[in-house]
Amino acid sequence: MKKLLLFCSLAIVLFAFKATHEQLFKTPENWPQPVYDFSKNPLTEEKVALGRALFYDPLLSADNKISCASCHSQYNAFTHADHALSHGIGDSIGTRNSPSLMNLAWHKTFMWDGAIHHLDMQALAPITHPDEMGSSMENVVAELQQSEVYLGLFYTAFNDSVITGEHTLKAIAQFMLTLVSANSKYDSVMRRQTVFTAQENNGYQLFKQNCASCHTEPLFTNLAFENNGLPVDTTLNDYGRIKTTQLAADSLRFKVPTLRNIEFSYPYMHDGRFKKLGDVLKHYTSGIHQSPTLAGQLQQPVVLSSNERVDMIAFLLTLSDKEFLFNPAFSYPKNQFKPSANN
């Protein structure tokens, strides 16, 4: 087998009881019901564990060097932080900043332009993208089929020794569905367990006045596609959702990202052009580029004093969820999986 293959230890840790779907996924208090249809892919402990192994395994890429986690690091809210655009096989550079992965059960569309319409199919896009993982499901399945460990894991998860692309994608989706972030200071305040500082509260009021129509609580995204006034990067020439819909009305519209864990998900915007939150606020207060599809909320620039910008950032920092960022259930499965020494 090729280098860097992740292997499961021969004996999976056995638990006194198996987690139920309800234990693996809970809708946070006062949140809307998720839109993902769990009846067609109910969570099981075995499928989530398989999906976690696949998420961290570079076997899914053409050169066995790039995994899903390469661009979606847990400590960066499941995105990357060291460069503006995603990097892939052969040192190739992609065309967009990787989106953060969290609370995906509430999403109907995926990717910056909404090109993917179901979470069970989402992983197929990076796996097959020539500048990302550069492989194909046929190649991935063939590689997995050669691993006795994966044969056992798939059989345990799906009661079927035949590994398929459908089961591979569904297992990855199961792991991603468990990535729920809902335990920040903001959430504690909403649950009346603590209170904002005066500065955070002022920032919260400013946020509700200026930002909440697009970054709607509690997900901190309205899940829509908006033109937020960014001038086009003439190198990338990325016009957003129009690439998918071919509709002029979708020119320069990108999916509104969540602001949860924004402290850790820099750089910002679809092309990673801003490194700091201060740069983002500066864009909205003085950098809006006028165009026919500009979001109505931004027809007039946001007005914030320097002190109000500081207060706004203080509030945004309350959206950091350290439990999510350091949850061992979401991390590289080092206690159950180990890199293979085989070539």
Side-chain angles (χ1 to χ4, degrees):
M1 295 184 181
K2 297 180 179 180
K3 291 181 179 179
L4 298 178
L5 239 172
L6 294 179
F7 275 98
C8 176
S9 61
L10 294 179
I12 299 281
V13 176
L14 297 177
F15 295 92
F17 66 92
K18 293 189 180 299
T20 64
H21 170 86
E22 289 71 21
Q23 291 168 320
L24 293 167
F25 185 93
K26 296 180 180 179
T27 300
E29 181 181 350
N30 298 322
W31 280 39
Q33 288 300 306
V35 298
Y36 184 87
D37 187 355
F38 286 101
S39 68
K40 296 181 179 179
N41 191 23
L43 301 189
T44 69
E45 188 176 336
E46 296 83 2
K47 291 176 186 176
V48 171
L50 171 59
R52 181 182 174 191
L54 292 166
F55 186 87
Y56 282 95
D57 198 333
L59 175 146
L60 274 63
S61 65
D63 61 3
N64 292 168
K65 294 182 179 180
I66 301 295
S67 69
C68 301
S70 297
C71 289
H72 299 281
S73 165
Q74 178 181 9
Y75 306 127
N76 299 112
F78 286 97
T79 181
H80 58 69
D82 55 343
H83 41 262
L85 304 174
S86 297
H87 289 193
I89 62 170
D91 295 322
S92 59
I93 299 177
T95 58
R96 289 173 177 165
N97 184 30
S98 62
S100 294
L101 302 180
M102 69 188 80
N103 304 328
L104 299 178
W106 286 268
H107 292 235
K108 292 183 178 180
T109 58
F110 304 88
M111 319 301 276
W112 282 103
D113 56 9
I116 306 298
H117 293 272
H118 200 292
L119 185 61
D120 291 358
M121 297 298 295
Q122 188 279 328
L124 183 62
I127 287 173
T128 59
H129 195 291
D131 291 326
E132 295 185 41
M133 301 171 86
S135 188
S136 67
M137 283 312 303
E138 291 79 8
N139 289 339
V140 168
V141 168
E143 294 258 19
L144 293 171
Q145 200 75 41
Q146 295 178 38
S147 166
E148 291 186 7
V149 174
Y150 271 120
L151 286 171
L153 289 174
F154 272 86
Y155 184 82
T156 301
F158 292 99
N159 196 31
D160 191 342
S161 60
V162 177
I163 296 176
T164 66
E166 177 186 0
H167 285 170
T168 300
L169 294 173
K170 281 190 171 183
I172 296 172
Q174 289 228 346
F175 173 66
M176 291 195 293
L177 285 165
T178 67
L179 303 179
V180 175
S181 179
N183 201 29
S184 63
K185 180 176 182 179
Y186 160 84
D187 296 299
S188 295
V189 172
M190 295 301 107
R191 294 193 294 261
R192 303 184 184 279
Q193 297 169 334
T194 188
V195 295
F196 288 134
T197 66
Q199 185 179 47
E200 291 166 349
N201 186 61
N202 188 49
Y204 181 40
Q205 303 310 316
L206 291 167
F207 173 85
K208 289 193 289 186
Q209 294 168 20
N210 297 286
C211 312
S213 59
C214 288
H215 296 285
T216 310
E217 301 171 66
L219 297 173
F220 286 90
T221 169
N222 61 5
L223 304 173
F225 299 87
E226 304 284 2
N227 175 350
N228 68 341
L230 289 173
V232 176
D233 183 313
T234 55
T235 301
L236 296 173
N237 285 316
D238 190 346
Y239 285 81
R241 186 158 170 75
I242 189 174
K243 182 178 180 180
T244 297
T245 67
Q246 301 299 306
L247 298 175
D250 284 329
S251 178
L252 297 176
R253 288 185 171 174
F254 295 87
K255 189 175 181 181
V256 177
T258 180
L259 299 184
R260 284 184 172 272
N261 298 297
I262 194 170
E263 176 184 4
F264 298 92
S265 61
Y266 58 90
Y268 307 110
M269 305 301 177
H270 66 278
D271 53 9
R273 70 177 67 188
F274 297 137
K275 294 182 179 179
K276 299 179 180 179
L277 287 174
D279 297 333
V280 175
L281 292 183
K282 183 178 180 181
H283 162 71
Y284 285 115
T285 55
S286 60
I288 296 295
H289 175 73
Q290 297 291 324
S291 63
T293 60
L294 180 66
Q297 305 93 314
L298 298 176
Q299 295 296 330
Q300 298 296 324
V302 176
V303 178
L304 294 173
S305 69
S306 58
N307 286 340
E308 288 174 330
R309 292 185 195 182
V310 173
D311 292 352
M312 181 85 82
I313 291 175
F315 165 69
L316 292 175
L317 296 183
T318 72
L319 302 180
S320 298
D321 181 354
K322 300 292 181 63
E323 180 179 296
F324 173 76
L325 296 167
F326 299 100
N327 189 334
F330 303 151
S331 65
Y332 175 85
K334 59 185 177 182
N335 293 329
Q336 296 177 335
F337 301 87
K338 58 184 178 180
S340 172
N342 297 336
N343 293 327

